[in-house]
Amino acid sequence: MAKSQAVMRQPNKINARVRINTFWKSIFFLSTLFGLFVLAILIYRVVADGMAWLDLSFLTSRLSTDPNTAGISGAILGTLWVMLVVIPVTLIVGVGTAIYLEMYAKKGFMKSIIETNIANLAGVPSIVYGLLGLTVFVRLMAFGNVVLAGGLTLSLLVLPILVVSAQEALRAVPGYLEEASYGMGATKWQTIRRIILPAAIPSILTGAILAMSRAIGETAPLTVLGIPALLIPLPGGLFDTFTALPMQIYYWTLDSSLVAEYANLAAATIIVLLVILFILNSIAIFIRNKYQQSY
Amino acid sequence: MSTLTEKGIKIDLQTSQDDKEALSQIKEKSVIYDTKNLDLWYGNSHALKNINLEILENEVTAIIGPSGCGKSTYIKTLNRMVELVPGVSTSGSISYKNKNILDKSIKVEDLRTQVGMVFQKPNPFPKSIYENIVYGPRIHGIKKKAILDEIVEKSLRGAAIWDEVKDRLHQNAYGLSGGQQQRICIARCLAVEPDVILMDEPTSALDPISTLKIEELMKELKKQYTIIIVTHNMQQAARISDKTVFMLNGEVVEFSETDQLFSNPSDKRTEDYITGRFG
Ligand SMILES: Nc1ncnc2c1ncn2[C@@H]1O[C@H](COP(=O)(O)OP(=O)(O)OP(=O)(O)O)[C@@H](O)[C@H]1O
Ligand SMILES: [Mg+2]
């Protein structure tokens, strides 16, 4: 025993352990730094290229081939319209599915099959959803390449993310709260509505933010749907053709070999997209904090 | 007036033997829970074995026994909360006020409105004290603020915590101590005006002083409610209960008057357990 004690207390042993500890700490710190560094470069590039082009007239003008007069009002409006479809559809269907799976579905073979499939769907490449949307919404239901088709396609794309995160949120609500509610004679629906959902909403919103951010920036499925980036009438309803910010970025980047300023326009549009994302996130965080306080 | 009636009864008692018997008949408490041949399985594991118990109204019945003997399982079948565990099956019957509550046609929401439950770990909702108390009345459709306010005060007084919280009704219940939280939970349960209160080790997470307060409270509550309490604390069972059930390995070993069970147990295993000689 005395011998092992001597071994354990050897100064060089202790130093070695402390050194290894420091080593790993540095590795983790460097990993974080790497991410931050890349992000900083990205933002710097975008701001340097685009900031000068970003002014009110850029936001309010229509599309044009002349870089000096071109604006993105159509794309902004299109993106907002699409979000107007995506947000309610994903929240209702996504949270509904999660509630069904977590609260009502019996544990068993069927449930695990459904859950595995949803988890797998979250990993399906977005272009596949584009093909699905093209077949079902644009052609079969004959919507054409309109706001509704784009919105539904993007909804399908992000639904799995939302379902999975909402399920996790529901699961994280402590069982003893549920028991307390049932113990007083509450029905399942009363318990879900008054106890479980309010407790889960902050986390559900976090999932929703992720899902919306994903939907707002998706380009590939919109290309497959045939969403143009041309001068088209401003969308005013679900059945109007539209363009969206990521499409605009995509086409301007493609054409920047022809007109160099298009690259600046693309960068300016990226800034707008980021700002919209930022606003969306802020709203969600605001709602989340409000719920956490009052609940 | 009242002295007159009392006198009247006294005279009756003295005059007629028949009347005396009739009176004791009236005083006899009625059976509120009658458990017959109850078996319960969690999947394949046999957790309750042929339980037969008659629990009387307006008494405190304590359930004691070593860990894992099925105390919580039994108490949770009395309001069918045990069904929240998937794969539970039962046989036999439990009649509550002469209705078999294991019958699938019984509405559990109805049963649980009449039979309240207080859990081992204080589990207030992460809401204000006020919102905690009105939760039950609200889900049962009471909306008027005046009525709710009244219920809040009455329930908090009933749970002996009104004075401590009356100035902070709209603060979060999580800001209270564990003992206070448990009394909030009792108040929340009283707000639904149950007939029976089930308590599963309600003081095991509390310090001795809070425990004492809750025991005092139970003595008050037993005047109006039937109380069934699971406890690991034998002194507690001796102090507060009228009857005691001793369970072992899913069976009821002994069920008798508390005084008798602790002073003169009829089963060797009960004696071993209460004297701490249990293997
Ligand atoms: N959800 C469950 N699933 C499967 N078995 C369970 C479950 N809950 C309890 N059991 C089993 O049933 C038996 C009785 O458990 P129960 O919780 O009723 O015991 P208890 O007397 O309350 O114990 P304690 O004093 O530790 O609370 C134990 O063997 C336990 O392992
Ligand atoms: Mg227990």
Side-chain angles (χ1 to χ4, degrees):
Chain A
M1 203 158 84
K3 199 175 163 209
S4 59
Q5 191 185 53
V7 171
M8 285 188 279
R9 293 189 185 183
Q10 265 169 16
N12 59 352
K13 278 260 153 72
I14 293 173
N15 287 343
R17 290 192 302 127
V18 173
R19 261 200 311 279
I20 291 171
N21 187 42
T22 317
F23 169 76
W24 282 109
K25 185 177 152 194
S26 331
I27 292 277
F28 299 138
F29 179 67
L30 285 175
S31 318
T32 314
L33 212 59
F34 177 74
L36 285 178
F37 183 64
V38 172
L39 193 69
I41 291 181
L42 204 78
I43 291 180
Y44 171 76
R45 278 289 317 269
V46 168
V47 170
D49 286 356
M51 209 54 192
W53 292 76
L54 190 59
D55 55 14
L56 197 64
S57 81
F58 179 69
L59 297 180
T60 53
S61 303
R62 307 294 311 278
L63 192 57
S64 155
T65 47
D66 174 7
N68 292 307
T69 59
I72 53 168
S73 60
I76 293 180
L77 209 61
T79 288
L80 293 182
W81 266 107
V82 168
M83 282 299 117
L84 222 57
V85 175
V86 175
I87 292 174
V89 169
T90 49
L91 276 182
I92 294 170
V93 179
V95 176
T97 308
I99 289 180
Y100 176 75
L101 287 175
E102 274 314 299
M103 307 300 303
Y104 290 95
K106 286 222 164 64
K107 269 214 178 73
F109 188 62
M110 272 314 286
K111 189 187 168 206
S112 61
I113 292 242
I114 294 175
E115 284 183 336
T116 316
N117 273 312
I118 289 176
N120 285 339
L121 282 178
V124 170
S126 60
I127 197 156
V128 178
Y129 284 95
L131 284 170
L132 180 73
L134 181 71
T135 325
V136 177
F137 303 125
V138 177
R139 295 203 180 132
L140 200 66
M141 296 180 154
F143 292 155
N145 52 357
V146 296
V147 168
L148 188 62
L152 290 178
T153 305
L154 291 177
S155 300
L156 285 183
L157 171 73
V158 297
L159 255 180
I161 306 176
L162 198 64
V163 172
V164 171
S165 68
Q167 265 187 291
E168 270 161 20
L170 293 172
R171 221 175 291 146
V173 179
Y176 54 77
L177 297 180
E178 208 179 327
E179 282 185 354
S181 174
Y182 287 137
M184 276 181 283
T187 60
K188 191 166 221 166
W189 169 238
Q190 286 176 320
T191 305
I192 292 173
R193 197 181 95 49
R194 290 165 191 256
I195 302 297
I196 297 178
L197 265 187
I201 272 183
S203 321
I204 291 179
L205 278 181
T206 313
I209 296 169
L210 272 177
M212 296 314 149
S213 313
R214 173 93 192 273
I216 220 171
E218 270 300 334
T219 321
L222 296 184
T223 355
V224 177
L225 290 186
I227 305 304
L230 305 168
L231 185 59
I232 47 170
L234 292 177
L238 295 180
F239 292 97
D240 291 345
T241 44
F242 71 104
T243 184
L245 288 169
M247 294 308 298
Q248 199 61 66
I249 295 168
Y250 174 66
Y251 282 116
W252 266 333
T253 309
L254 270 189
D255 295 345
S256 62
S257 52
L258 309 175
V259 183
E261 286 91 344
Y262 283 171
N264 302 91
L265 292 182
T269 313
I270 290 175
I271 297 175
V272 173
L273 190 62
L274 289 179
V275 168
I276 291 182
L277 272 180
F278 183 74
I279 293 173
L280 266 185
N281 283 359
S282 310
I283 293 173
I285 290 170
F286 174 75
I287 298 175
R288 190 170 73 188
N289 289 345
K290 208 167 153 260
Y291 248 98
Q292 261 163 350
Q293 276 161 19
S294 75
Y295 182 72
Chain B
M1 264 304 268
S2 69
T3 47
L4 261 182
T5 23
E6 269 171 28
K7 248 182 205 162
I9 290 173
K10 244 179 216 159
I11 292 162
D12 274 355
L13 288 177
Q14 281 161 356
T15 47
S16 150
Q17 190 61 34
D18 287 354
D19 281 2
K20 197 175 174 182
E21 264 176 27
L23 207 71
S24 71
Q25 289 262 304
I26 293 167
K27 274 187 108 180
E28 181 122 321
K29 291 169 179 158
S30 56
V31 175
I32 188 157
Y33 267 116
D34 189 2
T35 305
K36 287 214 173 82
N37 305 325
L38 174 70
D39 282 83
L40 182 143
W41 293 263
Y42 287 113
N44 293 324
S45 106
H46 201 172
L48 295 178
K49 297 165 192 159
N50 196 29
I51 307 270
N52 286 283
L53 278 180
E54 284 186 358
I55 291 171
L56 299 186
E57 211 161 28
N58 290 86
E59 280 198 347
V60 177
T61 305
I63 305 178
I64 60 169
S67 197
C69 70
K71 306 180 294 295
S72 299
T73 303
Y74 178 63
I75 202 172
K76 281 193 293 180
T77 47
L78 296 179
N79 65 349
R80 283 184 45 184
M81 288 286 275
V82 78
E83 281 170 22
L84 297 182
V85 180
V88 166
S89 55
T90 52
S91 75
S93 71
I94 301 178
S95 64
Y96 170 73
K97 295 189 171 171
N98 301 320
K99 269 195 208 136
N100 182 9
I101 56 164
L102 295 185
D103 194 341
K104 291 295 167 209
S105 67
I106 289 279
K107 282 207 180 68
V108 286
E109 288 84 3
D110 227 11
L111 175 67
R112 292 173 192 158
T113 308
Q114 297 178 47
V115 181
M117 186 158 201
V118 176
F119 299 82
Q120 174 168 2
K121 199 170 148 248
N123 59 352
F125 299 123
K127 301 173 186 253
S128 72
I129 295 168
Y130 185 94
E131 287 297 321
N132 263 280
I133 308 300
V134 299
Y135 182 80
R138 280 228 178 101
I139 58 173
H140 292 101
I142 297 178
K143 293 199 183 83
K144 284 227 175 66
K145 185 162 185 308
I147 300 178
L148 292 174
D149 287 350
E150 199 178 304
I151 291 176
V152 168
E153 176 164 354
K154 196 172 142 218
S155 311
L156 288 170
R157 280 191 193 283
I161 192 169
W162 170 253
D163 290 329
E164 285 160 72
V165 300
K166 62 170 185 277
D167 301 322
R168 49 198 285 201
L169 290 179
H170 296 285
Q171 288 176 22
N172 199 305
Y174 276 20
L176 301 171
S177 76
Q180 289 174 322
Q181 287 186 13
Q182 192 63 305
R183 277 179 287 147
I184 293 293
C185 293
I186 294 175
R188 183 176 65 182
C189 172
L190 298 183
V192 187
E193 300 181 3
D195 297 328
V196 180
I197 304 176
L198 307 174
M199 298 182 161
D200 192 351
E201 301 186 45
T203 61
S204 69
L206 306 181
D207 67 288
I209 292 175
S210 309
T211 300
L212 216 64
K213 277 195 184 147
I214 289 189
E215 285 184 16
E216 289 299 320
L217 174 58
M218 282 192 264
K219 283 181 194 150
E220 273 308 304
L221 293 176
K222 73 186 245 192
K223 293 174 189 159
Q224 284 188 57
Y225 304 90
T226 305
I227 297 178
I228 303 169
I229 175 174
V230 170
T231 177
H232 268 289
N233 181 334
M234 277 178 275
Q235 283 81 19
Q236 183 171 67
R239 278 194 298 264
I240 59 169
S241 69
D242 302 300
K243 300 266 174 61
T244 298
V245 182
F246 172 58
M247 291 182 68
L248 188 62
N249 297 329
E251 289 176 81
V252 171
V253 172
E254 191 161 347
F255 174 44
S256 55
E257 299 284 336
T258 298
D259 293 343
Q260 194 198 329
L261 189 132
F262 281 105
S263 61
N264 189 16
S266 59
D267 196 293
K268 178 79 171 58
R269 291 169 293 176
T270 314
E271 191 181 337
D272 286 349
Y273 183 70
I274 61 178
T275 53
R277 259 181 286 151
F278 203 77

